[in-house]
Amino acid sequence: MTKIAVIGAGVIGLTCAVKIKETYKDLDVVLISSEFSPNTTGDGSGGLWLPYLCGSTPYNLIEKWGAETYRFLYEQWKTGGYGVCMLPLYYFYRTKEKFHTPEWARMVFGYHELDSKELEHYSKLFSGKYTAGQTFTTFVCSPPTLLTHFLQRFEQANGKVLQAKLTSLQDPLLAQYDVVVNCSGLGARFLVPDDRVVPLRGQVLRVIAPWINQVVIDEEGGNYIIPNAQTVVLGGTSQKDFNTEVDPKDTDFILNGCKRIMPGLERAEIVKRWVGLRPSRDAVRLEPEEKNGKLYIHNYGHGGSGFTLFWGCGEEVLQILQTYLNKNHKLYINSKL
Ligand SMILES: Cc1cc2nc3c(=O)[nH]c(=O)nc-3n(C[C@H](O)[C@H](O)[C@H](O)COP(=O)(O)OP(=O)(O)OC[C@H]3O[C@@H](n4cnc5c(N)ncnc54)[C@H](O)[C@@H]3O)c2cc1C
Ligand SMILES: *[C@@H]1O[C@H](CO)[C@@H](O)[C@H](O)[C@H]1NC(C)=O
Ligand SMILES: *[C@@H]1O[C@H](CO)[C@@H](O)[C@H](O)[C@H]1NC(C)=O
C-alpha cells in the first residue's frame, strides 16, 4: 500500500497533509518536519490574502490558486473558523506608472480602482501623496490558530507526525515512502539544493490597536498595516538576507512609516518584534518528478503569498497524487476512494 511522506509543517505542508489524509483515509501519511507552529515562517506572518512577492509565477496560476484560497477563507469567515477576519484593503501607489490592474481583480469581492477624488481623500487621511490605488474586500487569518487547527485535523484523521531534520533526498528516513511531498519552504534551498530559492527577509512588529479596522499598504514607502484577530501587524522589510535578528533600524523604519499613515499608532503597545525569511523563488515550484522509483511532488517557493495560495496549491498537489495513484492501481489496492 502506498506510503506518503509530507515534508514541512508550515502552512503549505500542513495543508497538503490534511488534504491527502482526509481524502485517502487508509493510506499511511506521515508529516516530517524540523519545525512546527509556533516556529514556522507563517507563524509571524501577516496572514493576509494578497498576491505579493511571488516572483513571476504565471498569472493564471496565481489566479487559480489564489481564488481557491480566497473562497476557502471566505467559507471559514462565514462559519467563524481559524480566526479569519474580513477587512477592506487599501493599496496605494505613489507613482502612477507602477499601477496596473491585477489579473485576480475579477475574483475578489468589491474590487475598485480609486479615482482622483478618492485618492485626494485618502492621501489626506493617510498622510501620503498617492497617485493610484485600489481597494477590495479581503480576508486575514490568524496564522498560529490556522496552523494549530490544521495539525489537529491531520492528527484526528490518524496522520502521523515526526519531528526530524532531513539532510537530503537520500535521507534514510524517506526510504520506506513511495510518495514524497516536498513543502520544505526555504529548506528546499539546502535539501537538493535548489539555489533558486532565496530568503526575502521580512521584519514586522505586532501591536495592540483594536481601533484599526482596515488593511493599508503603501507600496513604494514599504510600509503596511494588517489587523489580525488579536493584534495589528506593522511592516515591513523585504531584503535578500539570512539575518533573523531584529534590527533596530528596521524597527524605526516600520514605526515611523506606519505612524505617518496612522498617527494613533503612537499609543499602541508593541507586543512582538519578529523576523521571518520568506521562501522566495523566481516562480512557485509545484510539479511532480519521478525519480529513484518514487514520486516527488514539489510545492515550495511561495514567497510573500503562502497564506494567499495554500489551499489552491494543496488542491493541485492532491490532483497530481490522484492521477498518479489511478495510474498505479497496485499501489493503493487497500484505499477506498
Ligand atoms: C514578515 C512576513 C510577513 C508575511 N506576511 C504574509 C501575508 O500577510 N500573507 C501571505 O500570504 N504570506 C505572508 N508571508 C509569507 C508566508 O509566511 C510564507 O509564504 C509561508 O509561510 C511559506 O510557507 P511554507 O510552508 O512554504 O514555509 P515554512 O513556514 O517556512 O515551512 C517550511 C517547513 O519545512 C520544514 N523544513 C525545511 N527544511 C527541512 C528539512 N531539511 N527537514 C525537515 N523539515 C524541513 C521547516 O521546519 C518548516 O516547518 C509573510 C512572510 C514574512 C516573513
Ligand atoms: C519552538 O522553538 C522553541 C525555541 O527553540 C522550542 O523551545 C520549542 O519547543 C519549539 N516548539 C515546537 C512546537 O517545536
Ligand atoms: C525538495 O526540493 C528541493 C528542491 O528541489 C530539493 O533540494 C530537496 O531535496 C527536496 N526534498 C525532498 C525531501 O524531496
Side-chain angles (χ1 to χ4, degrees):
M1 194 155 77
T2 307
K3 290 178 123 189
I4 301 172
V6 178
I7 317 299
V11 64
I12 300 298
L14 271 173
T15 305
C16 292
V18 165
K19 278 181 172 276
I20 292 170
K21 188 60 192 168
E22 288 182 355
T23 307
Y24 296 99
K25 296 188 179 57
D26 299 333
L27 291 191
D28 221 332
V29 183
V30 64
L31 176 66
I32 305 176
S33 188
S34 49
E35 302 289 348
F36 288 83
S37 180
N39 298 337
T40 75
T41 311
D43 280 284
S45 86
L48 166 70
W49 188 97
L50 174 75
Y52 186 64
L53 299 176
C54 36
S56 45
T57 304
Y59 287 130
N60 64 318
L61 293 179
I62 292 179
E63 193 179 340
K64 177 169 176 277
W65 299 332
E68 283 169 19
T69 308
Y70 190 90
R71 262 197 304 276
F72 172 77
L73 292 169
Y74 168 50
E75 292 301 326
Q76 295 312 313
W77 171 77
K78 270 211 294 202
T79 54
Y82 305 126
V84 175
C85 307
M86 179 174 73
L87 295 165
L89 177 148
Y90 296 93
Y91 200 125
F92 299 117
Y93 294 79
R94 299 179 185 193
T95 315
K96 207 174 182 148
E97 291 67 38
K98 293 204 172 162
F99 177 82
H100 69 276
T101 304
E103 316 288 319
W104 45 262
R106 57 186 162 221
M107 40 112 330
V108 296
F109 295 133
Y111 182 86
H112 168 73
E113 289 173 6
L114 303 173
D115 64 25
S116 56
K117 221 169 157 185
E118 290 165 320
L119 286 164
E120 201 180 306
H121 164 74
Y122 287 118
S123 291
K124 204 159 172 186
L125 210 57
F126 298 131
S127 321
K129 278 207 175 70
Y130 306 123
T131 59
Q134 66 217 150
T135 179
F136 64 94
T137 300
T138 194
F139 298 98
V140 181
C141 75
S142 213
T145 307
L146 185 134
L147 295 168
T148 307
H149 279 88
F150 272 18
L151 184 61
Q152 281 168 2
R153 250 175 94 164
F154 178 66
E155 287 179 319
Q156 267 156 22
N158 282 321
K160 275 184 283 186
V161 175
L162 179 64
Q163 182 151 24
K165 185 163 181 123
L166 299 168
T167 48
S168 77
L169 216 74
Q170 279 78 35
D171 199 295
L173 269 178
L174 294 175
Q176 57 172 311
Y177 298 96
D178 311 290
V179 178
V180 174
V181 185
N182 185 356
C183 309
S184 51
L186 188 59
R189 183 179 165 88
F190 308 102
L191 266 175
V192 143
D194 179 349
D195 46 19
R196 282 161 74 183
V197 185
V198 294
L200 257 192
R201 177 182 179 277
Q203 182 176 321
V204 288
L205 306 176
R206 277 179 187 268
V207 300
I208 306 286
W211 61 87
I212 296 177
N213 298 305
Q214 66 270 94
V215 178
V216 176
I217 298 171
D218 171 1
E219 161 72 19
E220 284 149 273
N223 289 114
Y224 55 82
I225 298 170
I226 307 174
N228 278 203
Q230 268 88 38
T231 57
V232 179
V233 176
L234 307 181
T237 67
S238 53
Q239 303 130 333
K240 277 196 184 148
D241 189 343
F242 280 102
N243 174 19
T244 53
E245 299 292 310
V246 168
D247 182 336
K249 280 199 299 295
D250 290 333
T251 305
D252 287 347
F253 163 77
I254 293 166
L255 270 181
N256 294 337
C258 292
K259 274 197 275 189
R260 208 173 308 121
I261 299 169
M262 292 189 191
L265 283 168
E266 182 70 47
R267 289 168 166 267
E269 182 199 348
I270 301 176
V271 290
K272 195 169 180 177
R273 295 171 173 82
W274 183 82
V275 173
L277 304 179
R278 298 178 185 89
S280 176
R281 198 170 182 274
D282 51 316
V284 173
R285 184 173 187 211
L286 203 176
E287 63 182 5
E289 179 184 19
E290 289 189 50
K291 204 161 82 178
N292 318 323
K294 288 188 205 298
L295 172 73
Y296 295 89
I297 307 175
H298 300 286
N299 183 14
Y300 61 82
H302 297 77
S305 294
F307 283 86
T308 306
L309 306 174
F310 66 99
W311 197 252
C313 289
E315 195 56 40
E316 179 128 4
V317 165
L318 192 58
Q319 279 164 20
I320 292 172
L321 181 66
Q322 270 163 355
T323 307
Y324 175 80
L325 293 180
N326 290 341
K327 221 171 58 189
N328 296 270
H329 282 295
K330 58 179 187 332
L331 291 171
Y332 84 112
I333 24 180
N334 290 327
S335 98
K336 305 183 202 91
L337 182 65

